[in-house]
Amino acid sequence: MSRIRNQLTVFTKPWPEMPLAELGRLVKGMGFDGVELPVRPGYQVTPEDAAGRLPEAHRILQDQGVKIGTVAATADRDIIAACGEAGVPVVRIMVDVDPRVGYYETEKRTRERFDSLLPLLEESGVVLGVQNHCGNMIGSAIGLMHLIEGYDPGRVGAVLDLAHCGLVGEPEDMAIDICWSHLLLLNLKSAYWVRSAGPEVRDAPWRVYWTAGGHGIVSWRAAVRELRRRRYDGDICLTAEYSIPPDAAGPRGEIVGAYLRRDLEYLRELFVEEEPG
C-alpha cells in the first residue's frame, strides 16, 4: 500500500440504496481511500437534497475514514455550491454532443456554460472535472483538451478515462500526455468491442464489453508506467463498470465488489512492479 503515492477511490454507482455508513465501511474494507459519489436521482444524495445532504454524507463517510474525492453530477449551481460547503473538490461531468447543432456548436455552448460558472467555481473552491466518454459524446483525450485547454485547470480540468480512450483508439501514454496540463483525476476500467453477430450478418452493431483490468484494450501496466514516469500524484478512480454475465449468481453489488477487489489487487501489483530502482 505504501508504494502508491496516489489516493485510490471507487465510483459507488453499484450501491445506490446502501446506507452511507455501511457504504463507507464497504469501500474502506476493500482498501479504497475514498469514493466518487453519484449525486443523481435514486442515490444516497440527489440533486434536490444536495445542499443539506452532501455535507452530511461527507461527515458520515469521513467517520469511516473515507473521503469524497469527487461527485458524479451535472454542472448545476446548487450542486457546485453544495460541494463547496461540504469540501468536495471536484464535480465530474460529461458532455453530450447535441446532434441538432453539431459538434462545434456543442463545444461553443458548453464553453459559454462553463464561463457563466467560473465566478461560482472560484468562490466555492470547486473544480469542474470534464470526463471523456465514447459514443455521442466528447470521447477522446484530444477532444477533451480541445474543449477545455483555454481554462485554468484549477477551475475546469480533465477527468481522463483511459478505457474510453482505448475504445476510440488513443494509446495510454499519448492520452495522458495530451491531458497532462489539466489532469485532475485518472479513471481506470477495462473494456473491448464485441460484434453482436458473425460474418453472415452485414452491418451488425458492435457493443462494449466491460471486463477486468488486464483483459481489455487499455493496458493498465502501460498507464501505471507512464504515471510513474511523470510522478502523477492525483487520485486514481476505479469506476466499477463490469458487464455481468447473465448466469452470474448473487446480487449485482456483491459481484461487482468481488471484481473490484481483484482489480485493486492487480493495480497495487503493477505499482510495485513499476517501482523505480
Side-chain angles (χ1 to χ4, degrees), residues 103-145:
Y103 191 96
Y104 289 114
E105 182 64 21
T106 295
E107 278 193 327
K108 176 177 177 291
R109 296 183 184 188
T110 300
R111 289 194 196 98
E112 289 171 352
R113 173 64 173 159
F114 291 173
D115 291 345
S116 73
L117 293 172
L118 288 176
L120 177 58
L121 293 168
E122 181 72 33
E123 177 185 348
S124 62
V126 174
V127 186
L128 203 58
V130 189
Q131 183 208 312
N132 59 302
H133 193 292
C134 70
N136 197 42
M137 307 178 98
I138 293 181
S140 63
I142 193 64
L144 187 56
M145 283 303 293

Side-chain angles (χ1 to χ4, degrees), residues 46-58:
T46 69
E48 293 74 22
D49 66 13
R53 185 64 172 152
L54 192 56
E56 180 186 6
H58 169 76

Side-chain angles (χ1 to χ4, degrees), residues 50-65:
R53 185 64 172 152
L54 192 56
E56 180 186 6
H58 169 76
R59 289 191 296 272
I60 292 170
L61 291 169
Q62 192 174 49
D63 286 345
Q64 305 300 323

Side-chain angles (χ1 to χ4, degrees), residues 45-89:
V45 180
T46 69
E48 293 74 22
D49 66 13
R53 185 64 172 152
L54 192 56
E56 180 186 6
H58 169 76
R59 289 191 296 272
I60 292 170
L61 291 169
Q62 192 174 49
D63 286 345
Q64 305 300 323
V66 173
K67 72 172 186 176
I68 303 178
T70 52
V71 298
T74 52
D76 292 341
R77 292 180 176 274
D78 290 346
I79 292 174
I80 293 170
C83 285
E85 180 68 24
V88 176

Side-chain angles (χ1 to χ4, degrees), residues 9-263:
T9 65
V10 60
F11 188 25
T12 59
K13 181 180 176 180
W15 305 283
E17 298 177 356
M18 185 175 288
L20 284 166
E22 184 180 346
L23 181 65
R25 290 190 292 271
L26 174 70
V27 301
K28 190 68 174 180
M30 288 181 189
F32 290 99
D33 304 296
V35 300
E36 176 172 89
L37 194 70
V39 178
R40 296 174 177 174
Y43 283 84
Q44 293 91 345
V45 180
T46 69
E48 293 74 22
D49 66 13
R53 185 64 172 152
L54 192 56
E56 180 186 6
H58 169 76
R59 289 191 296 272
I60 292 170
L61 291 169
Q62 192 174 49
D63 286 345
Q64 305 300 323
V66 173
K67 72 172 186 176
I68 303 178
T70 52
V71 298
T74 52
D76 292 341
R77 292 180 176 274
D78 290 346
I79 292 174
I80 293 170
C83 285
E85 180 68 24
V88 176
V90 177
V91 178
R92 177 179 68 83
I93 66 168
M94 295 176 290
V95 179
D96 290 286
V97 176
D98 186 344
R100 297 168 298 178
V101 302
Y103 191 96
Y104 289 114
E105 182 64 21
T106 295
E107 278 193 327
K108 176 177 177 291
R109 296 183 184 188
T110 300
R111 289 194 196 98
E112 289 171 352
R113 173 64 173 159
F114 291 173
D115 291 345
S116 73
L117 293 172
L118 288 176
L120 177 58
L121 293 168
E122 181 72 33
E123 177 185 348
S124 62
V126 174
V127 186
L128 203 58
V130 189
Q131 183 208 312
N132 59 302
H133 193 292
C134 70
N136 197 42
M137 307 178 98
I138 293 181
S140 63
I142 193 64
L144 187 56
M145 283 303 293
H146 191 265
L147 174 70
I148 68 171
E149 62 187 346
Y151 290 99
D152 176 352
R155 297 282 73 88
V156 180
V159 176
L160 182 62
D161 193 302
L162 288 178
H164 288 288
C165 292
L167 290 168
V168 300
E170 284 179 328
E172 302 85 2
D173 56 347
M174 180 187 295
I176 293 169
D177 179 61
I178 289 167
C179 288
W180 183 249
S181 64
H182 285 61
L183 185 59
L184 301 174
L185 174 69
L186 188 93
N187 280 357
L188 275 183
K189 52 181 176 275
S190 193
Y192 54 86
W193 290 104
V194 178
R195 197 170 189 269
S196 61
E200 70 280 359
V201 179
R202 291 180 176 174
D203 301 320
W206 292 72
R207 62 182 176 85
V208 176
Y209 190 91
W210 298 103
T211 186
H215 296 279
I217 296 170
V218 165
S219 167
W220 287 20
R221 185 181 305 277
V224 167
R225 184 176 298 121
E226 183 65 11
L227 295 174
R228 279 289 199 189
R229 187 182 73 81
R230 291 175 176 267
R231 299 185 180 276
Y232 173 69
D233 60 2
D235 288 359
I236 297 173
C237 183
L238 298 189
T239 58
E241 187 79 39
Y242 302 99
S243 297
I244 308 298
D247 59 348
R252 180 178 179 82
E254 291 182 7
I255 296 169
V256 169
Y259 288 155
L260 271 171
R261 287 181 176 90
R262 290 198 292 270
D263 272 355

